[in-house]
Amino acid sequence: MSAPQERGALTAQTSATLRRRAALASVCAAIILGAAKSYAAWTTHSIAMLGSLADTTLDLVASLVTLFAVRIAAQPADYEHRFGHGKAEALAALFQMVLVTIAAGAIIFRSVERLGGGAAPAAFEDGVVVSVFAIVLTIALVRYQMHVVRATGSIAIHADNLHYRSDLALNGAVIAALVLDGWAGLHGADALFGILIGLWLGWTALRASMQAIDQLMDKEWPIEKRERLLTLAARHPMLAGIHDLRTRTSGTRDFVQFHLWMEPELTLARVHAIMEEIEAMLRAEFPHTDFLIHPDPVGHIDGTSPLVAQDARDVVAEEKAANP
């Protein structure tokens, strides 16, 4: 089953339940890993393990924020939020990435200090065992999160998933640092791996934050998705054209609005029936989407913007040509 079909098969309540369960799983995993890594950091004095512990602590904070956000995002539209509360997930995702960036800076700073101090980790075996355990638990969580993301499209769970995916590399780096520094005697490896971990976390934060920013800025759908929508709508024989197409995403819901060009001699009742038919066609392909359709006589344009005046297919084609 494809991702759109899988999302379409879910009710809003089922989607909300899946997102809450994924957030709770993330909170529980962060608590367990935090306890294990606290012990390992205390026994090994490893800067790489300390960085991993800091990351897990932020995981817990971020997971709690995600749990809160998905609860808010699942609430229906109300008088003050007529478009719903979906952007709570984007805000949570952005907050997570701020925390990750702060952690990355702190880890790099502490690693540079360790390079100058020359201290080496102790009892590295404890750190290796804890890191292996962390990898196994994180793999299980990541797999479950991906199932939920495919089913719901949750941006908050997706951001959490990206962070935990980076934890897999982070825990592997901790193992390498402890083995090289504690067993092979390559002093300084622990601090160098700490710097690499910090840089990796910073890059992960930058990459994951872009999707949240896109939602908050109401970025248009991808070109391929808009092309699919326009192609499907154009199948209706009474449609003369579409203009002023606008799309955006808020949490797990999409919003689409556009103007239809139709022959001016059509009655209001016929125009309404055509709009209902087109919306039904689109809703079958794009579930969990709110459509706002406005009819215009052929050639009529509201406003002077070229994006409004042009046929939507021409606008998308120009954008595609400008961004090959």
PDB file of all heavy atoms in Angstrom, residues 4 9 50 115 132 180 196 211 214 254 299 310:
ATOM      1  N   PRO A   4       0.160   7.584   0.293  1.00  0.00           N
ATOM      2  CA  PRO A   4      -1.097   8.296   0.220  1.00  0.00           C
ATOM      3  C   PRO A   4      -2.297   7.397   0.461  1.00  0.00           C
ATOM      4  O   PRO A   4      -3.248   7.780   1.133  1.00  0.00           O
ATOM      5  CB  PRO A   4      -1.096   8.872  -1.205  1.00  0.00           C
ATOM      6  CG  PRO A   4       0.335   8.919  -1.610  1.00  0.00           C
ATOM      7  CD  PRO A   4       0.951   7.748  -0.944  1.00  0.00           C
ATOM      8  N   ALA A   9      -6.668   5.580   4.154  1.00  0.00           N
ATOM      9  CA  ALA A   9      -7.454   4.524   4.779  1.00  0.00           C
ATOM     10  C   ALA A   9      -7.684   4.776   6.260  1.00  0.00           C
ATOM     11  O   ALA A   9      -8.501   4.118   6.880  1.00  0.00           O
ATOM     12  CB  ALA A   9      -6.748   3.175   4.582  1.00  0.00           C
ATOM     13  N   LEU A  50      29.258  11.304  27.211  1.00  0.00           N
ATOM     14  CA  LEU A  50      28.592  12.470  27.793  1.00  0.00           C
ATOM     15  C   LEU A  50      27.772  13.199  26.728  1.00  0.00           C
ATOM     16  O   LEU A  50      26.647  13.645  26.993  1.00  0.00           O
ATOM     17  CB  LEU A  50      29.627  13.421  28.395  1.00  0.00           C
ATOM     18  CG  LEU A  50      29.058  14.657  29.133  1.00  0.00           C
ATOM     19  CD1 LEU A  50      28.227  14.225  30.329  1.00  0.00           C
ATOM     20  CD2 LEU A  50      30.192  15.570  29.579  1.00  0.00           C
ATOM     21  N   LEU A 115      40.389  17.810  24.236  1.00  0.00           N
ATOM     22  CA  LEU A 115      41.603  17.704  23.429  1.00  0.00           C
ATOM     23  C   LEU A 115      42.764  18.425  24.100  1.00  0.00           C
ATOM     24  O   LEU A 115      43.903  17.955  24.069  1.00  0.00           O
ATOM     25  CB  LEU A 115      41.365  18.301  22.029  1.00  0.00           C
ATOM     26  CG  LEU A 115      40.638  17.416  21.020  1.00  0.00           C
ATOM     27  CD1 LEU A 115      40.372  18.203  19.741  1.00  0.00           C
ATOM     28  CD2 LEU A 115      41.452  16.167  20.710  1.00  0.00           C
ATOM     29  N   VAL A 132      25.656  -0.445  22.697  1.00  0.00           N
ATOM     30  CA  VAL A 132      25.051  -1.532  21.915  1.00  0.00           C
ATOM     31  C   VAL A 132      23.570  -1.667  22.278  1.00  0.00           C
ATOM     32  O   VAL A 132      22.704  -1.817  21.397  1.00  0.00           O
ATOM     33  CB  VAL A 132      25.798  -2.856  22.150  1.00  0.00           C
ATOM     34  CG1 VAL A 132      25.024  -4.020  21.522  1.00  0.00           C
ATOM     35  CG2 VAL A 132      27.203  -2.784  21.576  1.00  0.00           C
ATOM     36  N   LEU A 180      38.871   2.882  20.506  1.00  0.00           N
ATOM     37  CA  LEU A 180      40.141   3.455  20.055  1.00  0.00           C
ATOM     38  C   LEU A 180      40.903   4.114  21.191  1.00  0.00           C
ATOM     39  O   LEU A 180      42.132   3.980  21.293  1.00  0.00           O
ATOM     40  CB  LEU A 180      39.881   4.473  18.935  1.00  0.00           C
ATOM     41  CG  LEU A 180      39.414   3.902  17.593  1.00  0.00           C
ATOM     42  CD1 LEU A 180      39.057   5.027  16.628  1.00  0.00           C
ATOM     43  CD2 LEU A 180      40.504   3.010  16.995  1.00  0.00           C
ATOM     44  N   LEU A 196      32.955  15.203  15.960  1.00  0.00           N
ATOM     45  CA  LEU A 196      32.211  14.674  14.816  1.00  0.00           C
ATOM     46  C   LEU A 196      30.736  14.478  15.157  1.00  0.00           C
ATOM     47  O   LEU A 196      29.851  14.764  14.331  1.00  0.00           O
ATOM     48  CB  LEU A 196      32.823  13.352  14.358  1.00  0.00           C
ATOM     49  CG  LEU A 196      34.233  13.430  13.755  1.00  0.00           C
ATOM     50  CD1 LEU A 196      34.757  12.031  13.452  1.00  0.00           C
ATOM     51  CD2 LEU A 196      34.219  14.283  12.480  1.00  0.00           C
ATOM     52  N   GLN A 211      11.746  21.234   6.804  1.00  0.00           N
ATOM     53  CA  GLN A 211      10.373  20.804   6.568  1.00  0.00           C
ATOM     54  C   GLN A 211       9.413  21.546   7.488  1.00  0.00           C
ATOM     55  O   GLN A 211       8.317  21.950   7.062  1.00  0.00           O
ATOM     56  CB  GLN A 211      10.236  19.295   6.766  1.00  0.00           C
ATOM     57  CG  GLN A 211       8.858  18.770   6.383  1.00  0.00           C
ATOM     58  CD  GLN A 211       8.751  17.257   6.523  1.00  0.00           C
ATOM     59  OE1 GLN A 211       9.684  16.596   6.955  1.00  0.00           O
ATOM     60  NE2 GLN A 211       7.598  16.716   6.167  1.00  0.00           N
ATOM     61  N   ASP A 214       9.040  25.047   6.191  1.00  0.00           N
ATOM     62  CA  ASP A 214       8.197  25.056   4.998  1.00  0.00           C
ATOM     63  C   ASP A 214       6.718  25.073   5.371  1.00  0.00           C
ATOM     64  O   ASP A 214       5.913  25.793   4.753  1.00  0.00           O
ATOM     65  CB  ASP A 214       8.492  23.833   4.129  1.00  0.00           C
ATOM     66  CG  ASP A 214       9.820  23.957   3.389  1.00  0.00           C
ATOM     67  OD1 ASP A 214      10.358  25.074   3.330  1.00  0.00           O
ATOM     68  OD2 ASP A 214      10.318  22.925   2.897  1.00  0.00           O
ATOM     69  N   ASP A 254      -3.926  18.770   4.455  1.00  0.00           N
ATOM     70  CA  ASP A 254      -3.570  19.635   3.332  1.00  0.00           C
ATOM     71  C   ASP A 254      -4.732  20.586   3.041  1.00  0.00           C
ATOM     72  O   ASP A 254      -5.902  20.258   3.295  1.00  0.00           O
ATOM     73  CB  ASP A 254      -3.280  18.798   2.083  1.00  0.00           C
ATOM     74  CG  ASP A 254      -1.973  18.031   2.201  1.00  0.00           C
ATOM     75  OD1 ASP A 254      -1.030  18.567   2.805  1.00  0.00           O
ATOM     76  OD2 ASP A 254      -1.904  16.891   1.695  1.00  0.00           O
ATOM     77  N   GLY A 299     -12.135  33.657 -18.574  1.00  0.00           N
ATOM     78  CA  GLY A 299     -11.409  34.894 -18.813  1.00  0.00           C
ATOM     79  C   GLY A 299     -11.439  35.873 -17.673  1.00  0.00           C
ATOM     80  O   GLY A 299     -10.649  36.836 -17.662  1.00  0.00           O
ATOM     81  N   GLN A 310      -2.627  33.725 -14.737  1.00  0.00           N
ATOM     82  CA  GLN A 310      -2.250  32.608 -15.608  1.00  0.00           C
ATOM     83  C   GLN A 310      -2.998  31.331 -15.260  1.00  0.00           C
ATOM     84  O   GLN A 310      -3.421  31.127 -14.116  1.00  0.00           O
ATOM     85  CB  GLN A 310      -0.748  32.320 -15.486  1.00  0.00           C
ATOM     86  CG  GLN A 310       0.151  33.298 -16.217  1.00  0.00           C
ATOM     87  CD  GLN A 310       1.610  32.885 -16.053  1.00  0.00           C
ATOM     88  OE1 GLN A 310       2.225  33.130 -15.017  1.00  0.00           O
ATOM     89  NE2 GLN A 310       2.162  32.258 -17.081  1.00  0.00           N
TER      90      GLN A 310
END
